[in-house]
Amino acid sequence: MKKTMATSLVLTTIAVVGAGCGSNGEGGKEATPAAASVEASGAPSASAGTEKVELTFYYPIQVGGPLTATIESMAEQFTKENPNIVVKPVYTGSYGDTTLKTQAAVAGGNSPDVAVLLAADLFSFMDMDSIVPLDEFIAQDGDDGFLDDFYPAFLENSQVEGKTYSLPFQRSTVVLYYNKDAFKEVGLDPEQPPATWDELAKSAKQLTNEDRWGIEIPSSAPTSATWMFSGFAIQNGKNLMSQDGKEVYFDTPENEEALQFWVDLSKKDKAMPENVIEWATTPSDFLEQKTAMMFHTTGNLANIRQNAKFDFGVAMLPQNKQFGSPTGGGNLYIFKDIGKERQEAAWKFVKFMTDPERAAQWSIDTGYVGVRKSSYETEAMKQYTEQFPAALVARDQLAYAKGELSTHNNGKVTAALNDAIQAALYGKVTPAEALKGAQTEADKALASFK
Amino acid sequence: MAGSLGKRWRSEVFAWGLLAPSLLFLAVFTFYPIWITGVQSFYTKNLAVREPVFAGADNYSQLFSDSLFHKVLINNFWYMLGTVPGALALGLIFALFANRALKLRGFVRVSFFYPNVIPMIALANVWLFIYTPEYGLLSRLTDMIGAGHTAWLGSEKWVMPALVVMMVWKEAGYFMIFYLAGLQNIPNDLYEAAQVDGVGKWRVFWRITFPLLMPTTLFVLVVALTNAFKTIDQLFIMTQGGPNNASNLLLYYIYQQAFSYWDFGAAAAATIVMIAFMLLITVLQFVGMDRKIHYR
């Protein structure tokens, strides 16, 4: 037992680094064919005398589909265009795993060069001093309008005090998925999804029957409850935190009203399960027609599109005072302790990964939103959105979207809100009490950053 | 005199020589990390304070005033109370049964033992499906008998019992193996003597089998108690400690402090509390129960 304890805390770091190396090795193995072919095609330029830079690229995969292959072919393509830079993609599990492996690697002096990490974890990486701002690289390229092409709602989680620390890569918003067949069945217009909170509650009630819930809004830990709640908060007037990540506004009357609305969907309207709703099973419930509507990420669009055996629609989240949704997902970060030369190479790769064509392709393959405005002007995207207009909903919603909850000490602040929301959904405490408690906890967690 | 001293000295050296390799590993991988953790527990190191700052007992006082820490301890207590007696009793029953069953003995033993061979992560995924609301296995069963369905893992009330049932099921087979070995060590003549005297089966169990199995029970008890604290793989897959921390256990709490909140001071303090707790259990076990056990 003692041994377990010791290993569990102090040596977990080592174990994690070890695991990181393990997957490093695996990633290397998987990438071998690609690397080999690259070496073959890149041989002439290598012999021309320039030294090769090898970049390690950590990335998580959060949605379904054979996406490792897509990432690897992108890396391969990049090396074709930049023969002196070889990118070694390392699949690192979920976002949580990726953050953990990255931090362990940084602490062990073996930092990756570039990684896709949660946009919301920005402050954590800043506080750990492991990333660099990108402004210098952007200025170097002399393209002043470069950032303007990215949707501002996505950049909100990248920028602090005038500096830009990451570029949006796989980004999403929350949308309302609804079962058109179920709408018809109960006499609702399938082309008129609910657009306000009142309509949402009303149609959810109407859609509920013995075998089917009206709506499911995920509320499981660690972040789905807070992500969903951000949406309600924005719709009711104001986002949950300040841009500098030092203050949160949990216990406002508007937020109490928002949480009450959410609680009422199950407690009063009986249109939503009363327990905590699991993030991962919500899409299956929707596909199995156990729920007629759900709030979920646009990142699931491809999955729903392929597997729904019924006619479904996608709509913006209903409004109260205004429309709104938090953004979510992962950004590309460049690391600090890797030296100037590698950072330059990493910047080239980051630009390559976010260029309009690639952004369009990634969006089509996954359902994530194209991160740049110009990605919607590409041929591939035009064709795709023509066939499948639902893909445009998330983009159109960006006009009303705001950054997701992201603060210093993000883990603790998010956990405080998460626990409060779950307790309120259970009816153990009133929304007002829950949010007051969360505010106190969060203030405590943020005190040392002021 | 000198000869016997020399001999003693030699055997002493020999003994230490044999112990050295494992002592070395214990020192490097157990005692040294515990020492470092102990030191860390008196320093503040988190996202706001990058370089460790001495904080005295701050980490401990914050820990003991953290309502979540209280909740986690209480959860762990109930979890222990659910899994330990349950798994022990079931393991013993399995063993008694597997020891008797003449036909298909191998099959019986294998089927009781197999849950233990499967990795916890895989089992957690299987049970995740069993406990899924609406269309999970258990929900369909309760639906069939008209009891409606419950979101077992999504309900504060049911999540702990659900985890306990899974854990008992997984561990019972493992404990069965020890009990089987224990049963086979009990001399048959005791049973024969009891039979000659016409003693009832129930009495034979309580007067012969159970007392003679006490050494096994002690060992298994220690294993089960520590497992109740150290097996948390299933939480990562099934609940993430939720809903509302209803299934959060001590080791998972430590993990969260360290790797979700990056608060290494708090994590170190909680680790020390856990180590102290475990030591206490072990000491109580060995000292308190040693006297009542019939070693042969």
Side-chain angles (χ1 to χ4, degrees), chain A residues 190-413:
Chain A
E191 300 313 320
Q192 290 290 323
T196 65
W197 286 9
D198 290 341
E199 286 172 30
L200 181 72
K202 227 177 96 199
S203 42
K205 237 188 326 195
Q206 212 170 331
L207 285 157
T208 306
N209 64 27
E210 282 260 293
D211 310 305
R212 182 178 68 204
W213 293 104
I215 185 162
E216 284 188 8
I217 300 172
S219 50
S220 56
T223 54
S224 23
T226 50
W227 203 40
M228 293 298 147
F229 187 65
S230 296
F232 286 126
I234 297 164
Q235 289 148 23
N236 217 17
K238 191 170 157 195
N239 206 350
L240 294 169
M241 74 291 175
S242 64
Q243 185 63 33
D244 64 4
K246 293 178 182 173
E247 270 179 80
V248 292
Y249 318 111
F250 291 164
D251 61 348
T252 65
E254 290 80 15
N255 287 345
E256 282 162 25
E257 188 194 358
L259 188 51
Q260 189 65 54
F261 171 73
W262 190 358
V263 171
D264 284 348
L265 282 176
S266 67
K267 295 279 178 215
K268 206 178 87 198
D269 303 331
K270 307 280 177 206
M272 188 176 78
E274 286 197 31
N275 43 62
V276 161
I277 298 169
E278 191 57 45
W279 169 261
T281 55
T282 306
S284 347
D285 289 355
F286 183 70
L287 290 170
E288 297 270 331
Q289 310 203 46
K290 293 288 177 188
T291 179
M293 297 188 282
M294 68 165 179
F295 282 12
H296 221 271
T297 169
T298 48
N300 239 310
L301 194 54
N303 170 31
I304 300 292
R305 186 186 181 201
Q306 275 154 25
N307 297 313
K309 291 182 198 73
F310 50 86
D311 200 9
F312 76 97
V314 177
M316 283 201 254
L317 293 185
Q319 65 162 333
N320 197 36
K321 287 182 182 152
Q322 58 186 17
F323 283 108
S325 160
T327 60
N331 283 5
L332 285 154
Y333 292 83
I334 297 178
F335 288 83
K336 197 178 173 198
D337 296 331
I338 57 170
K340 196 79 197 143
E341 188 200 9
R342 299 171 78 84
Q343 284 173 351
E344 299 276 357
W347 170 246
K348 272 191 192 158
F349 180 62
V350 165
K351 266 204 317 195
F352 171 86
M353 290 302 270
T354 53
D355 83 10
E357 294 287 341
R358 209 102 32 222
Q361 192 56 46
W362 191 240
S363 166
I364 294 165
D365 287 350
T366 57
Y368 285 112
V369 186
V371 289
R372 295 174 74 155
K373 295 167 190 164
S374 53
S375 67
Y376 285 86
E377 307 300 323
T378 60
E379 267 320 301
M381 192 65 125
K382 276 186 187 157
Q383 236 171 35
Y384 169 66
T385 50
E386 207 162 291
Q387 283 170 5
F388 189 50
L392 285 173
V393 172
R395 185 203 60 175
D396 296 340
Q397 189 172 242
L398 281 177
Y400 312 98
K402 298 263 187 274
E404 66 180 308
L405 180 60
S406 170
T407 64
H408 288 282
N409 220 343
N410 204 38
K412 268 188 194 169
V413 172

Side-chain angles (χ1 to χ4, degrees), chain A residues 119-161:
Chain A
D121 274 340
L122 170 63
F123 291 101
S124 302
F125 289 106
M126 279 173 63
D127 290 337
M128 288 168 175
D129 199 23
S130 50
I131 53 170
V132 284
L134 307 176
D135 305 84
E136 208 183 304
F137 304 112
I138 298 170
Q140 214 169 292
D141 289 348
D143 183 359
D144 291 339
F146 178 71
L147 285 178
D148 299 342
D149 193 34
F150 288 89
Y151 287 101
F154 287 147
L155 284 176
E156 272 188 33
N157 286 126
S158 301
Q159 297 175 323
V160 185
E161 282 155 13

